[in-house]
Amino acid sequence: MGIDVKKTQKYYNSITTDDLCSCNYCKNYYFQVKSAYPLVANYLASIGVDIQKPFEISPLEPDTNGILEYCTCQYIVFGKYQTFHSHKVENVEFRIATSFPDTGIDDEHFVLELYPIRLKYVVYK
Ligand SMILES: [Zn+2]
């Protein structure tokens, strides 16, 4: 069976910006990640995932060049992951997450994580 793309799409469509964390590190991710990593965004879209609606992201501190690295970015995906193979897109590694907060979802799903994502740090108001 594999990934349930339709169900995953439906889930992401149901998430609004009110559901997302509004801290600046997270906003920095939502606003830039799609244009900075178009192939990663396309890959995620192909399995029904909206790159701008992560389940959990872990930012480090911005470095001296103003680059902010996110060491793990996790996404909920519906379906089974037996068919999922770890791989890289644009030097971003994808794998199945083994450690994540409770998703509160009963239907069959798994958490996909990708890393690292590096973005210029901008303060959004
Ligand atoms: Zn946040």
Side-chain angles (χ1 to χ4, degrees), residues 21-23 26:
C21 174
S22 60
C23 79
C26 289

Side-chain angles (χ1 to χ4, degrees), residues 66-104:
I67 298 297
L68 180 55
E69 179 173 315
Y70 299 83
C71 58
T72 50
C73 307
Q74 300 184 328
Y75 291 89
I76 288 168
V77 182
F78 287 87
K80 287 192 199 344
Y81 67 78
Q82 280 88 335
T83 52
F84 187 85
H85 300 289
S86 299
H87 62 284
K88 271 188 177 185
V89 177
E90 284 179 301
N91 283 321
V92 176
E93 180 99 26
F94 287 71
R95 67 179 178 199
I96 302 301
T98 50
S99 164
F100 47 84
D102 185 6
T103 60

Side-chain angles (χ1 to χ4, degrees), residues 8-80:
T8 304
Q9 260 167 352
K10 210 175 153 194
Y11 171 76
Y12 281 90
N13 286 339
S14 76
I15 298 174
T16 66
T17 43
D18 289 345
D19 300 323
L20 299 169
C21 174
S22 60
C23 79
N24 207 76
Y25 283 6
C26 289
K27 279 186 181 167
N28 198 67
Y29 185 90
Y30 311 146
F31 292 152
Q32 292 185 61
V33 71
K34 200 168 181 176
S35 52
Y37 291 91
L39 300 180
V40 174
N42 282 351
Y43 169 73
L44 289 174
S46 76
I47 57 169
V49 174
D50 183 338
I51 196 169
Q52 290 171 298
K53 296 173 178 175
F55 170 55
E56 188 79 5
I57 52 179
S58 308
L60 304 175
E61 290 294 318
D63 69 13
T64 50
N65 298 314
I67 298 297
L68 180 55
E69 179 173 315
Y70 299 83
C71 58
T72 50
C73 307
Q74 300 184 328
Y75 291 89
I76 288 168
V77 182
F78 287 87
K80 287 192 199 344

